[in-house]
Structure formats: structure tokens, C-alpha cells
Amino acid sequence: MADFKFPPFYNYPPYFTLQPVKDTREKQVQLWKELILDYCKTRNIFVIRPEEDFPLFSNPTIDRSLTHEARQVFLSALVSEGRAEWLDKGHKKCLVLWHRIQDWADILVQYVKENGLEDSVMTVEEIRSGPESRGTELHGMDRIILWRALKLLENKGKLAIFKGTSADDEGVKFSL
Amino acid sequence: MVTINMPEVELTPAGRPILLPTETECSLLSGVQLLCEDDDRLSHFSLHLDPGLLTLTTHRLILIPENSSTAAPSSTQSQHSSSTSRPCSIPLGSITQIFVLKKSIKAMFGSPRLRFQLSVDSEGRVGKTGRSVVVTAVMRGKGDVEAFVDKFRRTWEARVWERDPDGSAGGQGSGGSNSTGNHSVGDSVSGSGRGGFDSRGMRVVGVSGILRREQEIWENTDKNLQEAFQDLNALMSKAKEMVMLAEKMRLKLLSGQSQVSDEELGTKEEMQDWLLSVGVISPVTKESAGALYHQQLSRQLADFVRIPLDRAGGMINLIDMYCLFNRARGTELISPEDLLQACSLWEKFDVPVMLRKFDSGVMVIQNKAQRDEEVFSRIKSLVTRADTLRTGISASDAAITLGIAPALAKEHLLAAESQGLLCRDISPDGFRFYVNLFPEICIDDIHLVMDEGLYTAWIKSSSLSRLMGH
């Protein structure tokens, strides 16, 4: 994955302080939402833990970092837009959806078609880490997101999920 | 028929009469009308003044018609000619008799009437000798008439104006005696333009009063010293006092209060001059103004604040003003509530200053002429310089540039922030403000940089400093 290029305003100190004035705050939140999605997509990051160190939230060049309040505000803004989800009630883990679930499902269908996997059976784990998916966005993707995308396709009747003996070997049969 | 011609009085911008150097206010009564009811003398003289605020001072009776003052609650009797609605005065020295306030049954239902006798010349000029007329003051207001009349009589009997060194104020022959008979009398009051704040002349109250008392004490001390050295016997008799004096001086020297060197003496003089220049000679008090206290205090304050306000750059903290005003009043201190009420009343008067409350709750007094836009444009030019674009500014930076107190500078910065001109940066280094670049940043392409604009200027400035190893 390519190195992430920070936008110029990343070195603008007020960018790291929650702005109290409504219009300014709205623009600031928008810019953070864009940057978080862009950064996570480039670095293939699916989960942000706001209470732990996260490189994007600290800029050593200007010696500024986001407060916990600011992190919560920006991530919650993503959540309210459907571009992220809190994985726990305490807001300690945030699942970032730089592709929406529907988009992930579309990518999955595309992948199945390109690889001639229609009507074939594979395990869920194979989709994430098998040799076929190498080099695609599916490779190494978050299990939770993959599961949601699979469920979405199952509801549309495009595949069937079989229960395996353990949680790891659930099988998928595509029927496109 | 001759119109009685009274000296005109000049008002301050806030609508208070400009007093003489040694004159102080004694009492006020609103809704007073002056009439001349000289029927028994075939009506030689006429006088018909609009009702207004009658101010009794140690030297004069000053009538400020309601529709001439800047307060201007519109008068119902404005049909009178304009010449009668100007503020004018009667020197107490020209009053020859004050009659007893009538206490008849009729007076219980009508307005109280006070009659007094005035000496005028044949052309009706007040203050000249020759003839006398009886003037009636009809008190239609709600004030304490008896208290006012009582004070009027006592002030008149005290004849303070006669003790005036220059003798110009209330005495006979004042009030435009040099005029040629037209309406431009009253030069003795306003001609000098000293506005009552002159540092010369005797003072009775306030800071100047204290200084004067101190002066007297020192004069006495000086006399003691001279007497003591006249002969040894006298010295013996004064020995005890001398020891006490020596002890007192020693203590003063030790505590560093006494100035010895010429230079320090100069400083003390400057200090005194300064105190005198801000002294309020005739402070409005609850006793003198009664029900009109806050209204008059408000006007006096409006006049007083102009000089400190100019020095402070057009805006001053209410608390600072409270201290300055009370120091100038010397002994007649006012409470914070009184000050606040006086400031709140400015809305009703046409005065050039106003009370302003910032969102943070900080209250200031500012010139009405001072516009926020003007301050904002100065702030903007301050934060868009090549160096401040990159580093931002603190409240104290702004205070230095704008020439105002840091606390007020911060209020201005916060106001500019709420207008979207600035945004904040809070870090361990402190609280700083930057020019607001957010509106210029493109949301659809966060890497996009336009060819020009503040955002571009900022990028250039900050990348340049990083190249130079910052």
C-alpha cells in the first residue's frame, strides 16, 4: 500500500483543537471525516481505538494531538453518517467503513465473478486470506465487515452460509 | 414689557451643567417652572421658562429645561420660543429675599409655589441692581419640595460665593455684565471653558479636598518649626511636639513614603497633578440628588469616562472604571450596583459612551463611535502577516498591537472568532488564535491548493519555515 500523503492543513494547529464556532466546527469535522477515511483506506485500517495511540491523531511536526473529546466527536460524526460503527458501548473500538457494507458486498460479487467462483463453496476465512484474494481489497479485510457483507448477500439470495463445526470454518456457497 | 435675561449655562455632552471651579451641587428638583408674577408692578417684566430640572449649587440656581437637555423626554410645552428652553442660571448673589413656602389649603391641591425676589436692571438683566422682581418657582415634580426649599435657603444664607477668591461666580455684577444687552450673556460661566476640572482654586470635597487638608496639616507643621526656632524657651515648650514630629518624619523616611531628592519631589508633584486632573469636584450624591441620583450620576459618569476611555483605546473594563471613578470622587464613594445602574441608564440618554456586555459576561464601557468592524480589520491585518500566519497570536500580542488591556484583547479575539474570522489553537504552549483557513479548504479534494488565497499564503509561510530548519 502506498505511503499516505497528508494534506497541507494537517500542519495547521487549529485543525487539532475542537473549534467552538458552529460553521468552523462543521468544516473541521468534515475535513477530519475525510482524512480518517482516506487514511484508513490507504493504510488498510479497519478499527480505531481512540483511547490508544493512533498515528493520525498526533502530528509531531507541529507538536499537536487530538484530545479524547475531539477523537470521540470526529469518530461519532463518522458513525452518524454510517461510515463507522462503535463496536462496544464504551466507545473504545470504532469500526471504520471506508467502503460501506453494500460496497463491500459489490466488491465480493465482483471478485467471485472475476475468479469464476460462482456455484463453488469456500470458507469465510479463505475469502480473507486465501491465495485467490491476494492483491484485492478483500485480502486481510476485517472479519466483522466481511460477515456483514456476506449476510447482506445471503438476504438477497445470492449465497448460502453453512454452519461449520467451529466458528472458523463456516462455509459459503455462492449462487449468482 | 421686558424679558428677564438670565445667564445661559453650558452643558457637558452628557447634559450636566458645567460648574465653576469652586462650585458644588447641593440639591436637585425636577419639574420646576419659573414664572414672573409681577402683577402689582404693571407687568414690566416677563419670564416664562419651560419646566425642567432645577439644580441648586453653592453659587447658583441652574434650570435645565426638559426639552433642551439631551435626555429629552419630549416636553408638552415645546411651543415656547427656543430662547426660553435653553439652560440658564440665577446667581444666588442676585437673590435679595426668599419668601416662606405657602402652606395654604390651596397649596395642598395645587403645585407648591416658592417665591423669591431677584434684583435686575431696567433691561431685565439678572445680577444688576436697580429694580427687583418676584419670581415664582412652581414645583410640579414629585421631589421633596420642602427639603429643597430648606436647602435653598440655607445655601443662600451661607453665601459661599463671596468666599471665592476671584469673586466672579454668584456675586453682584456677574452673569454677563459686560455684554451689550443681547442674549449672549453667561460668559462668566462658560467662557473660560475650564469645564470645572481646573486644578486651580479651592476645593471642598473629593481628592482635591483631601490634598488640601494635607496641605493645611503641613502648613501647621511648618509654623511649629518656625516658632520652635525663635527662641530656646519656645523650643523647650515645643520640645515634645518636635520629638513627635521627628519621629513621624523618621517613620516616613523608613517606610519610603517621604520623597527627598528633587527628582522624587517632581514625581510626587506629577502624581498630585494627575490626581487633581481626574478629580470630580462636585460628586453627585444621594443626598444632593435624591430621587434623581442615578440619573445624575449616570450623566456625571458619562462626562468623566471620556478621558480615561480615550487613554485606554476606546474601551475600558467596568471594574477599572469603578476604581478610577471612586478614586476621583474621593470621599463620596459609590457602590458597584450604583455604577452599573448609572451605566445602564446611558441607553436612555444621548451620550457618546455605552455599556457593553461580552458573551463571556465581562462588562466594559466603550465609545459608541468604536465599531467592531474597525477592531476586526485591525485583528485581521495582525493575523495575516507572514509570521503570524504561521505562529498565530496570543491575547497579549493583540493587546500590544491594539493598545488595550489583555483581558479586553481576548474579548475582541473571541468576538472575531465567533464571526468566523479567527479560530483557536489550544496546546500546552497556550491559547492562540489563527486566521480561519477552514472556509478556504476544499472538502471534495483535501489535497487541493488554490493558486492564491490565505490558505496558500499560509502553506508557503509554514513550508518556508520548515525548510529553514524550524
Side-chain angles (χ1 to χ4, degrees), chain B residues 154-169:
Chain B
R154 278 193 282 127
T155 311
W156 176 64
E157 281 164 356
R159 309 186 85 78
V160 174
W161 64 90
E162 287 180 349
R163 281 179 245 148
D164 236 10
D166 51 7
S168 69

mmCIF file of all heavy atoms in Angstrom, chain B residues 154-169:
data_model
loop_
_atom_site.group_PDB
_atom_site.id
_atom_site.type_symbol
_atom_site.label_atom_id
_atom_site.label_comp_id
_atom_site.label_asym_id
_atom_site.label_seq_id
_atom_site.Cartn_x
_atom_site.Cartn_y
_atom_site.Cartn_z
ATOM 1 N N ARG B 154 -30.763 77.722 53.158
ATOM 2 C CA ARG B 154 -29.509 77.618 53.915
ATOM 3 C C ARG B 154 -28.296 77.920 53.032
ATOM 4 O O ARG B 154 -27.345 78.563 53.460
ATOM 5 C CB ARG B 154 -29.392 76.226 54.550
ATOM 6 C CG ARG B 154 -30.176 76.154 55.864
ATOM 7 C CD ARG B 154 -29.835 74.930 56.651
ATOM 8 N NE ARG B 154 -30.502 73.747 56.114
ATOM 9 C CZ ARG B 154 -29.882 72.641 55.796
ATOM 10 N NH1 ARG B 154 -28.583 72.536 55.944
ATOM 11 N NH2 ARG B 154 -30.553 71.607 55.322
ATOM 12 N N THR B 155 -28.344 77.450 51.790
ATOM 13 C CA THR B 155 -27.239 77.713 50.877
ATOM 14 C C THR B 155 -27.132 79.204 50.574
ATOM 15 O O THR B 155 -26.053 79.776 50.505
ATOM 16 C CB THR B 155 -27.444 76.932 49.564
ATOM 17 O OG1 THR B 155 -27.738 75.593 49.885
ATOM 18 C CG2 THR B 155 -26.213 76.989 48.683
ATOM 19 N N TRP B 156 -28.303 79.801 50.405
ATOM 20 C CA TRP B 156 -28.326 81.237 50.092
ATOM 21 C C TRP B 156 -27.762 82.029 51.273
ATOM 22 O O TRP B 156 -26.988 82.971 51.111
ATOM 23 C CB TRP B 156 -29.778 81.635 49.781
ATOM 24 C CG TRP B 156 -29.975 83.085 49.526
ATOM 25 C CD1 TRP B 156 -29.456 83.813 48.497
ATOM 26 C CD2 TRP B 156 -30.760 83.998 50.311
ATOM 27 N NE1 TRP B 156 -29.851 85.111 48.576
ATOM 28 C CE2 TRP B 156 -30.659 85.254 49.683
ATOM 29 C CE3 TRP B 156 -31.528 83.857 51.461
ATOM 30 C CZ2 TRP B 156 -31.311 86.380 50.188
ATOM 31 C CZ3 TRP B 156 -32.185 84.966 51.950
ATOM 32 C CH2 TRP B 156 -32.067 86.230 51.320
ATOM 33 N N GLU B 157 -28.129 81.608 52.482
ATOM 34 C CA GLU B 157 -27.645 82.313 53.665
ATOM 35 C C GLU B 157 -26.153 82.086 53.901
ATOM 36 O O GLU B 157 -25.468 82.922 54.478
ATOM 37 C CB GLU B 157 -28.446 81.866 54.903
ATOM 38 C CG GLU B 157 -29.813 82.539 54.972
ATOM 39 C CD GLU B 157 -30.769 81.843 55.945
ATOM 40 O OE1 GLU B 157 -30.387 80.802 56.510
ATOM 41 O OE2 GLU B 157 -31.894 82.348 56.111
ATOM 42 N N ALA B 158 -25.651 80.943 53.445
ATOM 43 C CA ALA B 158 -24.240 80.630 53.680
ATOM 44 C C ALA B 158 -23.317 81.517 52.840
ATOM 45 O O ALA B 158 -22.167 81.736 53.206
ATOM 46 C CB ALA B 158 -23.985 79.159 53.351
ATOM 47 N N ARG B 159 -23.790 82.034 51.743
ATOM 48 C CA ARG B 159 -23.068 82.953 50.856
ATOM 49 C C ARG B 159 -21.667 82.454 50.522
ATOM 50 O O ARG B 159 -20.666 83.163 50.677
ATOM 51 C CB ARG B 159 -22.990 84.347 51.490
ATOM 52 C CG ARG B 159 -24.337 84.873 51.953
ATOM 53 C CD ARG B 159 -24.263 86.291 52.428
ATOM 54 N NE ARG B 159 -24.367 87.259 51.345
ATOM 55 C CZ ARG B 159 -25.516 87.598 50.768
ATOM 56 N NH1 ARG B 159 -26.636 87.025 51.141
ATOM 57 N NH2 ARG B 159 -25.529 88.477 49.806
ATOM 58 N N VAL B 160 -21.599 81.225 50.049
ATOM 59 C CA VAL B 160 -20.306 80.612 49.720
ATOM 60 C C VAL B 160 -19.606 81.390 48.605
ATOM 61 O O VAL B 160 -18.392 81.535 48.590
ATOM 62 C CB VAL B 160 -20.509 79.137 49.304
ATOM 63 C CG1 VAL B 160 -19.216 78.522 48.815
ATOM 64 C CG2 VAL B 160 -21.055 78.344 50.481
ATOM 65 N N TRP B 161 -20.388 81.915 47.668
ATOM 66 C CA TRP B 161 -19.796 82.585 46.512
ATOM 67 C C TRP B 161 -18.941 83.787 46.896
ATOM 68 O O TRP B 161 -18.032 84.153 46.200
ATOM 69 C CB TRP B 161 -20.898 82.978 45.518
ATOM 70 C CG TRP B 161 -21.873 83.983 46.086
ATOM 71 C CD1 TRP B 161 -21.761 85.326 46.024
ATOM 72 C CD2 TRP B 161 -23.069 83.698 46.800
ATOM 73 N NE1 TRP B 161 -22.817 85.905 46.660
ATOM 74 C CE2 TRP B 161 -23.650 84.923 47.146
ATOM 75 C CE3 TRP B 161 -23.723 82.523 47.185
ATOM 76 C CZ2 TRP B 161 -24.842 85.016 47.856
ATOM 77 C CZ3 TRP B 161 -24.904 82.621 47.890
ATOM 78 C CH2 TRP B 161 -25.459 83.847 48.225
ATOM 79 N N GLU B 162 -19.255 84.380 48.065
ATOM 80 C CA GLU B 162 -18.487 85.553 48.488
ATOM 81 C C GLU B 162 -17.074 85.190 48.905
ATOM 82 O O GLU B 162 -16.185 86.031 48.933
ATOM 83 C CB GLU B 162 -19.205 86.248 49.647
ATOM 84 C CG GLU B 162 -20.436 86.986 49.186
ATOM 85 C CD GLU B 162 -21.164 87.677 50.311
ATOM 86 O OE1 GLU B 162 -20.823 87.414 51.473
ATOM 87 O OE2 GLU B 162 -22.063 88.481 50.021
ATOM 88 N N ARG B 163 -16.880 83.925 49.254
ATOM 89 C CA ARG B 163 -15.545 83.490 49.678
ATOM 90 C C ARG B 163 -14.663 83.155 48.478
ATOM 91 O O ARG B 163 -13.504 82.824 48.628
ATOM 92 C CB ARG B 163 -15.661 82.253 50.568
ATOM 93 C CG ARG B 163 -16.054 82.612 51.995
ATOM 94 C CD ARG B 163 -16.192 81.363 52.823
ATOM 95 N NE ARG B 163 -17.556 81.172 53.270
ATOM 96 C CZ ARG B 163 -18.119 79.992 53.466
ATOM 97 N NH1 ARG B 163 -17.425 78.894 53.225
ATOM 98 N NH2 ARG B 163 -19.367 79.904 53.875
ATOM 99 N N ASP B 164 -15.233 83.201 47.311
ATOM 100 C CA ASP B 164 -14.474 82.880 46.112
ATOM 101 C C ASP B 164 -13.344 83.876 45.920
ATOM 102 O O ASP B 164 -13.564 85.077 45.999
ATOM 103 C CB ASP B 164 -15.418 82.974 44.902
ATOM 104 C CG ASP B 164 -15.432 81.681 44.144
ATOM 105 O OD1 ASP B 164 -14.875 80.706 44.655
ATOM 106 O OD2 ASP B 164 -16.021 81.666 43.049
ATOM 107 N N PRO B 165 -12.125 83.413 45.697
ATOM 108 C CA PRO B 165 -11.016 84.345 45.540
ATOM 109 C C PRO B 165 -11.212 85.321 44.369
ATOM 110 O O PRO B 165 -10.953 86.513 44.496
ATOM 111 C CB PRO B 165 -9.804 83.459 45.305
ATOM 112 C CG PRO B 165 -10.313 82.073 45.129
ATOM 113 C CD PRO B 165 -11.696 82.019 45.659
ATOM 114 N N ASP B 166 -11.673 84.820 43.251
ATOM 115 C CA ASP B 166 -11.835 85.724 42.111
ATOM 116 C C ASP B 166 -13.198 86.416 42.118
ATOM 117 O O ASP B 166 -13.421 87.341 41.346
ATOM 118 C CB ASP B 166 -11.608 84.994 40.782
ATOM 119 C CG ASP B 166 -12.428 83.739 40.673
ATOM 120 O OD1 ASP B 166 -13.261 83.526 41.571
ATOM 121 O OD2 ASP B 166 -12.245 82.968 39.714
ATOM 122 N N GLY B 167 -14.055 85.963 42.985
ATOM 123 C CA GLY B 167 -15.324 86.652 43.183
ATOM 124 C C GLY B 167 -16.211 86.725 41.961
ATOM 125 O O GLY B 167 -17.106 87.549 41.886
ATOM 126 N N SER B 168 -16.011 85.854 41.037
ATOM 127 C CA SER B 168 -16.730 86.001 39.771
ATOM 128 C C SER B 168 -18.076 85.310 39.783
ATOM 129 O O SER B 168 -18.954 85.642 38.995
ATOM 130 C CB SER B 168 -15.891 85.396 38.646
ATOM 131 O OG SER B 168 -15.840 83.998 38.812
ATOM 132 N N ALA B 169 -18.223 84.352 40.660
ATOM 133 C CA ALA B 169 -19.318 83.428 40.450
ATOM 134 C C ALA B 169 -20.712 83.987 40.691
ATOM 135 O O ALA B 169 -21.386 84.405 39.769
ATOM 136 C CB ALA B 169 -19.116 82.206 41.323
#
